[in-house]
Amino acid sequence: MQLKTDLFINGQWVKGAGSLPVMNPSTGELIAEISTADQAQCDAAITAAHDAFPAWAKTPSRVRSEILRKAFEIMTAESDQIARLISMENGKTFTDAKGEVSYAAEFFRWFAEEAVRTPGDFRHSPSGDKRILVTHQPIGVSLLITPWNFPAAMATRKIGPALAAGCTVILKAASETPLTAIWIVDIMHRAGVPAGVVNFIMPEKTGAMISRMMHDPRLRNVSFTGSTEVGRILIKESADLVLRTSLELGGNAPFVVLDDADIDEAVKGAMVAKMRNGGAACTAANRFYVAKAVADEFTQKFTKAMDDLKMADGLETGAQLGASVSRKERDKIAELVDSSVAAGAQVRLGGVTPAGDGAFYPATVLTVQKDNPILNFEVFGPVAPIVTFDTDAEAIALANSTEYGLIAYVYSSDLKRAIRTAEALEAGMIAINRGVVSDPAAPFGGVKQSGLGREGGFAGIHEFLETKYIGVEI
Ligand code: NAP
């Protein structure tokens, strides 16, 4: 299929007022120029979504469900092509990209199933004077803003529940990775989504134009995945019209290895938790806290596993660590490592930026003191700082010493001890003896400054529904 590069407004592919280059970070080469929207085109997308909303909200949920199911089938059939595209514009390996496409498509399947099961409630009031009916209705026009690290999954995790709920949407992808989003929008079109229900724009000035859209009273909801910094801006922007917001923000995940953990299993889990997506995941293990008694064994085995990874262009056979999304992002990783070393970190592996045009950074293992500055930042790359601890209480205190609270990992052979630790960790998600927990059927989201709301699971659709109470006189 020929690569599409235009905006999608009211069921039509539309040339933008301007354009934006999309680069391949593995080679530094241009992949395509995509259209960017001016203010009138952003307004036109809101008009299209607003006009399409009443009919879409009334469309039987079975019909909405079948469209989502069809989108799942198309996406699954095209998974190799989509994975190649993700790898090209994002830099991740083809293997990671294939995993992402399958995860992304599952959101269509899951929400196709959820679309027909929106719960309601009928109760007698305790005073006996009325009946209490509770129903859920779609919020309305929703703006969906996604990041570059999972360009397919972050889009489907929002489009799926929004359409299942009966909302119409305007998708805005990250500037680095719009091509995958455009492919997904095209899938929605081919799956039979009516004109205006799914629109796609890339504003030529992101901050100013999104701000203006968030002051248009026809917009009712903003679902954002990205950095905590931008999340805070959007909370402020949402205040004037009291917009509903769902925010999936940054993380700084602790990976805790207790002294009774199976170390080989912990290393296996650490490799997934750290290296899925080359470390560019909000769920990536970002700080390793390892009990002193097992620290040498863990560090040695983990460093060996990191050292064995093949770093290469994501489309090269056998590549296990691809490029970062851009040289700018790669340089941020290098700066964090350099300042960590300046503050006393010992480099066990990596730590040196390779020469060449590609945005590569090698698998890096550091052993650091508990106050090393790298522990305060989301590294978003293949860097693992390891800290040792003496007691479980100390590990919990260290793990919780961050403003983030998305996910935490615990390894222990004693389930009771692992659950006690999990309950004390301040995070929206906990992985016990596993390196990954993301699942379209589970509620994904964080506490503290990692966000508001949940995506996926039974909760995901409610981010796009309003609760309505109807009191009936008896
Ligand atoms: P980002 O810089 O916050 O950008 C995310 C999106 O927001 C992009 O589409 C970006 O558009 C847009 N944006 C930037 N400034 C904006 C503004 N003033 N108003 C409205 N939109 C604006 O994040 P990123 O670098 O793409 O992604 C990495 C971050 O996402 C990490 O912190 C990661 O933890 C987080 N993340 C969280 C989750 C989760 O589920 N919790 C999942 C994945 C990623 P432009 O590209 O046009 O600037």
Side-chain angles (χ1 to χ4, degrees):
M1 199 174 79
Q2 212 200 332
L3 218 48
K4 290 198 163 57
T5 53
D6 286 337
L7 312 172
F8 191 69
I9 300 171
N10 203 20
Q12 305 288 325
W13 294 102
V14 181
K15 277 263 159 289
S19 69
L20 176 78
V22 184
M23 311 301 289
N24 180 336
S26 304
T27 60
E29 287 163 5
L30 179 75
I31 307 172
E33 291 270 350
I34 62 139
S35 282
T36 53
D38 61 14
Q39 198 61 67
Q41 289 171 319
C42 294
D43 291 347
I46 298 187
T47 302
H50 182 255
D51 292 351
F53 175 63
W56 181 246
K58 284 205 194 87
T59 299
S61 58
R62 174 66 70 205
V63 175
R64 297 201 304 263
S65 165
E66 281 166 2
I67 291 175
L68 287 171
R69 174 72 202 198
K70 179 89 183 146
F72 162 75
E73 283 161 10
I74 302 175
M75 197 164 182
T76 304
E78 295 176 359
S79 68
D80 275 1
Q81 291 156 281
I82 304 170
R84 275 186 70 79
L85 185 58
I86 293 176
S87 181
M88 274 171 73
E89 66 175 350
N90 168 281
K92 70 176 77 174
T93 64
F94 182 73
T95 312
D96 273 340
K98 276 282 278 190
E100 179 182 349
V101 177
S102 137
Y103 175 54
E106 282 300 329
F107 285 104
F108 286 150
R109 177 153 69 171
W110 173 260
F111 285 108
E113 291 157 354
E114 284 297 283
V116 291
R117 314 213 192 292
T118 310
D121 195 16
F122 177 90
R123 277 181 288 141
H124 293 233
S125 66
S127 57
D129 68 336
K130 63 180 169 308
R131 299 295 176 263
I132 296 172
L133 271 73
V134 179
T135 185
H136 301 279
Q137 294 181 319
I139 297 179
V141 178
S142 298
L143 175 61
L144 316 178
I145 306 176
T146 54
W148 52 260
N149 64 334
F150 287 100
M154 297 303 98
T156 61
R157 201 165 78 174
K158 297 183 188 305
I159 297 171
L163 267 55
C167 292
T168 55
V169 305
I170 302 154
L171 173 66
K172 183 258 176 265
S175 308
E176 296 88 344
T177 55
L179 294 167
T180 306
I182 295 176
W183 193 299
I184 289 169
V185 168
D186 190 47
I187 289 177
M188 304 315 296
H189 183 46
R190 286 183 279 141
V193 168
V197 171
V198 173
N199 303 277
F200 173 78
I201 52 156
M202 289 299 291
E204 54 194 14
K205 293 191 190 86
T206 301
M209 290 183 173
I210 296 288
S211 168
R212 181 170 146 152
M213 291 174 82
M214 289 177 70
H215 288 83
D216 184 323
R218 295 173 299 171
L219 188 77
R220 293 307 315 139
N221 182 34
V222 176
S223 174
F224 169 77
T225 298
S227 60
T228 296
E229 192 188 351
V230 174
R232 285 191 198 103
I233 295 174
L234 296 183
I235 291 174
K236 288 181 189 141
E237 294 285 359
S238 69
D240 291 334
L241 295 188
V242 193
L243 280 182
R244 267 277 288 272
T245 52
S246 308
L247 304 170
E248 297 290 344
L249 307 178
N252 183 359
F255 189 100
V256 179
V257 183
L258 300 181
D259 58 12
D260 62 355
D262 176 328
I263 296 304
D264 290 329
E265 282 301 311
V267 168
K268 231 191 274 170
M271 290 304 292
V272 180
K274 177 73 257 179
M275 297 307 288
R276 192 168 72 107
N277 234 30
C282 51
T283 51
N286 204 53
R287 300 171 288 149
F288 290 79
Y289 293 111
V290 185
K292 264 197 190 125
V294 292
D296 283 347
E297 184 186 354
F298 177 86
T299 304
Q300 184 227 321
K301 290 181 171 171
F302 177 60
T303 304
K304 162 90 176 69
M306 292 282 271
D307 197 21
D308 286 346
L309 294 176
K310 176 178 169 182
M311 181 170 73
D313 183 321
L315 291 175
E316 205 178 298
T317 310
Q320 292 167 300
L321 170 59
S324 182
V325 74
S326 64
R327 289 180 69 152
K328 189 171 144 222
E329 285 297 322
R330 188 273 310 274
D331 293 346
K332 277 196 215 164
I333 300 168
E335 272 167 37
L336 283 170
V337 171
D338 292 348
S339 45
S340 173
V341 172
Q346 302 285 312
V347 180
R348 299 297 178 121
L349 179 73
V352 178
T353 305
D357 290 335
F360 291 96
Y361 197 80
T364 296
V365 180
L366 308 172
T367 45
V368 305
Q369 296 298 313
K370 60 186 175 192
D371 57 354
N372 192 280
I374 199 165
L375 302 169
N376 299 325
F377 297 95
E378 186 181 29
V379 180
F380 238 58
V383 179
I386 301 177
V387 182
T388 58
F389 66 84
D390 289 305
T391 64
D392 292 11
E394 186 191 1
I396 292 165
L398 289 170
N400 287 343
S401 61
T402 168
E403 71 266 28
Y404 295 105
L406 188 61
I407 184 168
Y409 301 83
V410 185
Y411 270 78
S412 169
S413 300
D414 176 349
L415 193 56
K416 274 194 205 165
R417 196 174 165 200
I419 289 179
R420 273 200 307 272
T421 308
E423 287 177 354
L425 289 168
E426 296 167 355
M429 299 176 286
I430 310 284
I432 294 181
N433 295 333
R434 287 186 63 83
V436 64
V437 289
S438 305
D439 187 321
F444 187 107
V447 300
K448 294 158 82 178
Q449 295 185 34
S450 285
L452 299 171
R454 292 293 180 269
E455 291 190 325
F458 300 121
I461 197 166
H462 287 277
E463 300 291 319
F464 294 91
L465 291 168
E466 299 273 26
T467 301
K468 180 175 279 181
Y469 153 54
I470 303 170
V472 185
E473 178 68 26
I474 291 293

